[in-house]
Amino acid sequence: MRGTVVKPMGFVLPRRPQILCLLCESRAFSTSHRQLSEKAQATAAKTLAPGTFPVSAKTIAPSPLENAPRGYGKRVEDFTPVPLPRPIGMPFPPEAGQNTGLDNRTIKQRRDDFVNWNKHLERREELKTQFRKPYFRDWTNLELHKGKTFICPPRLFKGELSLWFPNLYGTTLLKSDRKPRDTTPVLEDKVSVVSVYSGQWAENQAKSFASAEANPELVELLQDNTDKAQHVQINIEGDRLKAFLIKLFMGGLRKSVGEANWGKYFLVRKGVSDELKEAIGLLNSKVGYVYLVDSQCRIRWAGSGYAEDHERSGLVKGVQRLLEEEKSAKPRVKTTVKA
């Protein structure tokens, strides 16, 4: 019989096809994958809240931090940080409900995803990326200029060219409402100095930009414009035990931060994906980062590592410039986009 193989004892087995059919080829396993920086824009749309889609999304150029050391990929032996040549951030405006890290799928949606082969392949690539990350890579990268990823830009990025700071989701220090909340409503309509860190070392680096001891001129400027400017702190801690210890000592945090800033301190545990970190330049979890965000949640300036004198003065000038822009800007009419 043609196309079959006849075995002794009367067994007839089909001949194995030499070429996979189109369906099998689409399910064939492949070890190739794209770099996280190339996937940032494609993944951004997946993090949107249900029923929404990117509004005024921008096409972003290749990452200005292509040669910066990362916690994954090939180890960088020699690196010198340079000023940011162009804006960093997400290609679409943030909205409350994005990047929460919560699974809001229905039982039917979970069942559909479970039997979806493409979903399994995507999850396989995510796990492969996680397993490839060297555990101590972020620590060893601190040997290169104490982990400084980039130098702040010499001047603010233009508003029409700037990209957006993402929405994050975490608990605050408020006693009246201990439920997790979004960062976007806090950042909207105000000029914000946003400190992002994880751990004591990174927190000290962020303080070198915006603390009263390191930059009293900035603190005084923020205090004189409390209705238009603010300092927001975001502590990212994915480890459950460390997050529990932080919550255990929140009383001390409340004293150090001050009651007026309890709602501006966020402890974020979930939703900070590698693609999101890549987009905003958060390339080392042991390093502190500071972003200057305008009232439309656009990143107009950014710094990393320990601040230099010109970076501290540049941050003050940047806040002053944004406050002047807010005074001369026309009132914005908010529009909501429905799916």
Side-chain angles (χ1 to χ4, degrees):
M1 184 183 298
R2 188 175 181 181
T4 60
V5 178
V6 180
K7 295 286 186 179
M9 304 298 293
F11 291 102
V12 180
L13 299 176
R15 185 183 297 277
R16 184 177 180 180
Q18 298 298 322
I19 301 177
L20 292 174
C21 65
L22 294 178
L23 179 60
C24 295
E25 284 183 348
S26 66
R27 295 186 174 184
F29 173 74
S30 173
T31 57
S32 61
H33 66 283
R34 292 179 294 177
Q35 295 295 332
L36 292 174
S37 58
E38 297 175 357
K39 295 169 58 181
Q41 188 171 356
T43 308
K46 299 179 183 179
T47 61
L48 289 174
T52 62
F53 52 93
V55 182
S56 302
K58 299 182 180 180
T59 302
I60 56 178
S63 173
L65 304 172
E66 293 179 0
N67 301 321
R70 290 166 167 76
Y72 54 89
K74 185 178 180 181
R75 180 176 178 178
V76 178
E77 300 291 346
D78 185 20
F79 171 73
T80 300
V82 297
L84 282 175
R86 53 182 177 271
I88 57 176
M90 305 296 287
F92 57 87
E95 294 183 7
Q98 298 172 354
N99 307 314
T100 61
L102 303 177
D103 190 353
N104 297 320
R105 296 176 299 171
T106 63
I107 296 178
K108 183 179 183 301
Q109 289 173 334
R110 296 187 186 189
R111 183 264 174 194
D112 293 340
D113 289 342
F114 181 77
V115 298
N116 189 320
W117 180 255
N118 291 328
K119 294 286 186 180
H120 284 292
L121 292 180
E122 291 177 5
R123 180 57 178 166
R124 181 186 298 175
E125 294 300 324
E126 293 176 2
L127 293 176
K128 284 164 58 181
T129 301
Q130 294 294 330
F131 285 131
R132 287 195 189 101
K133 289 183 179 180
Y135 184 77
F136 295 102
R137 176 65 62 81
D138 284 342
W139 287 110
T140 56
N141 285 339
L142 293 179
E143 300 174 357
L144 304 173
H145 302 273
K146 297 182 180 180
K148 196 173 187 68
T149 308
F150 52 82
I151 299 175
C152 72
R155 59 186 63 86
L156 295 182
F157 297 126
K158 292 183 178 180
E160 59 271 16
L161 301 178
S162 298
L163 302 174
W164 287 274
F165 190 83
N167 178 73
L168 298 176
Y169 186 75
T171 56
T172 65
L173 300 178
L174 292 173
K175 292 182 178 180
S176 57
D177 185 4
R178 302 185 181 226
K179 295 181 180 179
R181 56 182 59 200
D182 299 286
T183 59
T184 298
V186 176
L187 298 179
E188 286 180 334
D189 300 326
K190 278 193 175 184
V191 176
S192 304
V193 178
V194 184
S195 299
V196 182
Y197 51 83
S198 176
Q200 189 64 43
W201 175 276
E203 183 179 359
N204 291 335
Q205 290 185 334
K207 285 182 177 180
S208 67
F209 282 90
S211 67
E213 295 78 12
N215 200 344
E217 187 177 357
L218 174 66
V219 175
E220 182 179 357
L221 179 62
L222 295 177
Q223 290 176 349
D224 293 340
N225 298 274
T226 54
D227 57 331
K228 299 179 181 179
Q230 62 184 349
H231 181 205
V232 177
Q233 301 184 62
I234 300 177
N235 187 352
I236 300 176
E237 188 53 74
D239 186 271
R240 292 185 178 182
L241 178 58
K242 292 182 180 179
F244 172 76
L245 292 176
I246 293 175
K247 291 182 178 181
L248 197 62
F249 294 99
M250 272 191 172
L253 284 174
R254 292 188 178 97
K255 292 180 180 179
S256 62
V257 171
E259 186 173 356
N261 298 316
W262 285 358
K264 303 172 187 176
Y265 182 101
F266 290 83
L267 175 61
V268 177
R269 292 196 55 244
K270 298 179 179 180
V272 187
S273 64
D274 290 333
E275 289 80 8
L276 186 150
K277 293 179 181 179
E278 185 78 26
I280 65 175
L282 200 71
L283 303 183
N284 193 323
S285 62
K286 312 305 177 187
V287 174
Y289 296 84
V290 174
Y291 303 89
L292 181 54
V293 181
D294 64 14
S295 60
Q296 300 181 46
C297 299
R298 298 175 300 190
I299 299 177
R300 306 291 298 276
W301 184 97
S304 68
Y306 283 106
E308 300 177 5
D309 292 337
H310 70 91
E311 292 181 310
R312 281 186 283 266
S313 60
L315 179 57
V316 175
K317 293 178 182 178
V319 174
Q320 293 172 342
R321 176 68 182 274
L322 289 183
L323 289 175
E324 292 174 0
E325 287 185 5
E326 288 298 314
K327 291 180 181 179
S328 59
K330 296 179 179 179
R332 298 190 307 274
V333 178
K334 295 186 179 181
T335 59
T336 57
V337 179
K338 297 182 179 180

